[in-house]
Amino acid sequence: MKRLLNTLFVNQTDVYLSLDGGNVVLLKNEEKLGRVPLHNLESIVTFGYTGASPALMGYCAENNISIVFCTKNGRFLARVIGKSRGNVTLRKKQYRLSDDERASTLIARNFILGKTYNAKWMLERMTRDYPLRIDVGKFKRTSSELSELCLNIKGVENLEVLRGLEGQAAIKYNALFNSMILQQKDDFYFYQRTRRPPLDNVNAMLSFAYTLLANDTAAAIEAVGLDAYVGFLHRDRPGRVSLALDIMEELRGIYADRFVLTLINRKKINSSYFVKKENGAVIMSEEGRKIFLKSWQEKKQERITHPYLGEKISWGLVPYAQSILLARYLRGDLDEYPPFFWK
């Protein structure tokens, strides 16, 4: 199993990144803020517009360290990676199956099956852990409805039908998301998903978490030799990491959503870390991002037992493990892609 390395998050928006030997140097107005050895990094994520030196980008490309550029609001801009290290035979198989809608559906339905199953168990865990603080009957009814949808998803052979079932599951799950927010209810609430821009504190956090998860998943996909831009559920669109969005479907709830809920319910984040702009967009402050990113790195280090592999791995390696399993399926080593079933 791959070793989980560190991600360097550059939170300040006016920091320039340069190379000095085997180190990345952080400069602000030509003042040296710090230096970090590159051999311990698997990626660099920077929030701002100052940029990075060509020498640093070249070094990172040669050493398989991705550099991700985001706006200060956390919106993804670009990712710099080195030359493709993929197996050409594996990628050609990926491309052929992606062009075949029925074959794509047989893979995509397992992403959505995992997503729906995991949403169900998030609700079940709430009924177990907080029976006096939620409407248990409503949660149980929705859990049962999600179980029925799982059965329907298993037999789907058409992408549009699959998307319809996924939409039904998302509506049912989202209807209870606000009830899973147990603290700071006046400042943190969820009525519907809003993005580009997010219009409330919770959606701002969800968008940020999804951006980070998509980046981690794309890096994992490239590491096992697949093309992150060619998906099965998410169809081809220039600049979109469609396969990363596919694989992260089953991780959105149990990884990103639970992470956001934990920050709110444990009061690690409060309303002072958010700014509302004139157009209604809500963004996290620099200090808010700092807390968020520190907690994200801690989350990635937490260890779990992978439900299919049976191995103890960190949460940060789950996208890599799922990418490996997808590659094994495409090679013909597995009869089908095994979703990540969390309970």
Side-chain angles (χ1 to χ4, degrees):
M1 179 61 70
K2 171 183 168 72
R3 185 164 67 99
L4 181 63
L5 297 176
N6 297 314
T7 298
L8 172 63
F9 293 103
V10 183
N11 191 33
Q12 295 186 45
T13 57
D14 51 358
V15 170
Y16 182 74
L17 308 178
S18 66
L19 180 69
D20 182 9
N23 303 287
V24 55
V25 178
L26 284 66
L27 300 170
K28 182 176 181 179
N29 298 326
E30 299 187 3
E31 177 188 351
K32 190 178 295 185
L33 298 181
R35 56 196 293 123
V36 179
L38 284 161
H39 70 269
N40 286 326
L41 300 179
E42 63 181 6
S43 65
I44 299 170
V45 181
T46 179
F47 300 90
Y49 306 100
T50 310
S53 72
L56 176 64
M57 289 192 283
Y59 182 97
C60 289
E62 283 293 320
N63 291 276
N64 202 31
I65 302 170
S66 65
I67 304 180
V68 179
F69 297 94
C70 297
T71 69
K72 64 180 181 180
N73 305 338
R75 183 172 59 84
F76 174 82
L77 289 175
R79 188 163 70 95
V80 177
I81 57 175
K83 60 186 177 183
S84 171
R85 291 172 171 78
N87 180 315
V88 64
T89 305
L90 177 63
R91 290 197 178 207
K92 287 177 72 174
K93 179 69 175 292
Q94 178 187 357
Y95 300 149
R96 285 197 298 270
L97 293 181
S98 179
D99 285 337
D100 183 329
E101 186 166 314
R102 182 178 181 276
S104 292
T105 305
L106 299 184
I107 301 171
R109 70 185 182 187
N110 281 11
F111 300 139
I112 301 306
L113 179 62
K115 178 181 183 178
T116 306
Y117 177 94
N118 292 334
K120 166 190 167 62
W121 282 104
M122 281 183 66
L123 303 185
E124 287 290 341
R125 182 168 286 202
M126 288 294 294
T127 65
R128 183 195 70 187
D129 294 343
Y130 305 103
L132 301 180
R133 304 189 66 179
I134 62 170
D135 185 336
V136 172
K138 185 182 291 185
F139 272 66
K140 286 289 186 181
R141 284 193 298 275
T142 301
S143 173
S144 178
E145 291 168 354
L146 292 177
S147 292
E148 292 181 18
L149 283 171
C150 283
L151 294 175
N152 294 333
I153 289 167
K154 285 182 179 179
V156 170
E157 296 188 6
N158 178 277
L159 272 180
E160 287 307 311
V161 174
L162 177 62
R163 291 191 181 102
L165 293 173
E166 188 274 337
Q168 292 179 44
I171 290 170
K172 295 178 186 298
Y173 166 78
N174 286 340
L176 292 180
F177 193 89
N178 194 55
S179 298
M180 290 189 274
I181 300 172
L182 305 176
Q183 301 287 344
Q184 308 183 84
K185 298 284 285 185
D186 289 340
D187 298 315
F188 293 92
Y189 44 82
F190 180 89
Y191 300 133
Q192 63 179 347
R193 182 76 178 106
T194 59
R195 41 187 192 150
R196 300 190 188 96
L199 300 177
D200 56 63
N201 297 346
V202 174
N203 273 291
M205 295 174 73
L206 289 174
S207 292
F208 197 23
Y210 295 156
T211 295
L212 296 175
L213 181 56
N215 173 57
D216 290 346
T217 307
I221 289 167
E222 297 284 347
V224 304
L226 292 168
D227 189 332
Y229 290 85
V230 178
F232 302 103
L233 175 66
H234 294 83
R235 310 309 286 171
D236 296 346
R237 181 185 298 174
R240 182 170 74 176
V241 283
S242 295
L243 186 58
L245 297 179
D246 282 358
I247 290 179
M248 68 178 273
E249 284 293 348
E250 55 199 288
L251 304 178
R252 281 180 187 268
I254 54 167
Y255 199 141
D257 293 2
R258 286 183 69 235
F259 172 76
V260 168
L261 288 167
T262 297
L263 290 185
I264 298 169
N265 290 335
R266 293 184 180 175
K267 299 183 178 180
K268 290 186 175 182
I269 287 279
N270 60 57
S271 61
S272 68
Y273 296 125
F274 296 86
V275 178
K276 190 161 189 175
K277 305 182 78 173
E278 292 181 359
N279 66 350
V282 175
I283 62 173
M284 271 190 286
S285 66
E286 189 172 297
E287 184 63 25
R289 285 201 308 271
K290 182 178 178 181
I291 295 170
F292 194 101
L293 293 170
K294 182 177 183 295
S295 300
W296 183 263
Q297 285 295 87
E298 292 170 353
K299 170 70 174 179
K300 290 172 68 173
Q301 298 293 337
E302 292 177 9
R303 295 183 67 79
I304 59 166
T305 300
H306 191 282
Y308 181 82
L309 298 174
E311 295 182 26
K312 281 272 188 185
I313 65 172
S314 62
W315 265 111
L317 286 177
V318 171
Y320 182 79
Q322 295 308 115
S323 299
I324 287 176
L325 292 171
L326 179 59
R328 288 181 184 174
Y329 166 72
L330 295 179
R331 289 192 187 101
D333 298 334
L334 296 174
D335 292 334
E336 64 178 333
Y337 166 76
F340 184 86
F341 287 138
W342 175 84
K343 192 171 181 180

